[in-house]
Amino acid sequence: MILDIEPVEQARPRAVRRGKRIGMYDPPKVSKFKRELRQLAKNRFGNDPLDGELSVEIKFYRPIQKSLSKKERDRRLSGEHRPIVKPDLDNYVKSTLDALNGVLWVDDARIVELHAFKYYSVSPRIEVVVKELV
């Protein structure tokens, strides 16, 4: 499944004091990303989340910086040079798995096998392949 949305990393949760209680929430950028990704997945997949043991492969395609030489741009597009800069891959994974809870799978605790990759692309997106293991 190809989801045409630019990947956003999971940021540290923010805290707010309400009287004697402290509430935690996602920063607005992360919250918006999760909402949009969830809606994209619902439109493509429907409302029938998987409930078994799952294998998931996720490919994150980041935008290419505009201030690069043509040679370096071509290297990045060909996959010869992959993203080794922040944000970290695990932060992309966390925000994406959280957003897809209840849509592609009942809970991300069902995922027993996970493969994730970062690439550069002129069209930022997330590609997700989910397989139910028997």
Side-chain angles (χ1 to χ4, degrees):
M1 166 185 314
I2 297 174
L3 301 163
D4 293 318
I5 187 170
E6 186 172 331
V8 172
E9 73 279 8
Q10 178 67 47
R12 293 185 190 272
R14 306 292 188 246
V16 64
R17 182 182 297 270
R18 294 187 180 133
K20 293 184 179 186
R21 293 188 161 181
I22 295 179
M24 304 297 285
Y25 65 95
D26 281 330
K29 180 181 175 182
V30 177
S31 183
K32 180 181 181 222
F33 166 75
K34 287 180 178 180
R35 214 175 26 256
E36 290 175 358
L37 181 59
R38 186 176 293 115
Q39 192 57 50
L40 277 172
K42 276 184 184 178
N43 292 344
R44 297 247 172 94
F45 189 73
N47 276 337
D48 191 22
L50 300 171
D51 196 20
E53 294 177 4
L54 304 175
S55 171
V56 176
E57 179 180 293
I58 308 174
K59 294 180 181 177
F60 299 96
Y61 291 87
R62 296 171 37 108
I64 297 175
Q65 299 90 330
K66 297 194 188 308
S67 60
L68 292 174
S69 68
K70 184 173 178 359
K71 183 177 180 180
E72 180 59 24
R73 179 181 167 81
D74 291 343
R75 287 181 62 216
R76 291 182 183 199
L77 286 174
S78 72
E80 182 182 337
H81 182 199
R82 303 253 306 265
I84 56 172
V85 296
K86 292 195 180 273
D88 298 347
L89 182 60
D90 61 323
N91 291 329
Y92 277 150
V93 169
K94 182 67 176 148
S95 64
T96 302
L97 295 183
D98 286 351
L100 298 175
N101 268 343
V103 179
L104 296 185
W105 41 76
V106 173
D107 187 274
D108 55 5
R110 302 287 185 185
I111 299 170
V112 297
E113 187 175 291
L114 177 65
H115 302 275
F117 309 89
K118 282 195 306 189
Y119 297 98
Y120 287 112
S121 176
V122 291
S123 57
R125 65 192 180 278
I126 301 171
E127 294 181 2
V128 181
V129 176
V130 182
K131 295 178 185 169
E132 201 160 11
L133 303 175
V134 180

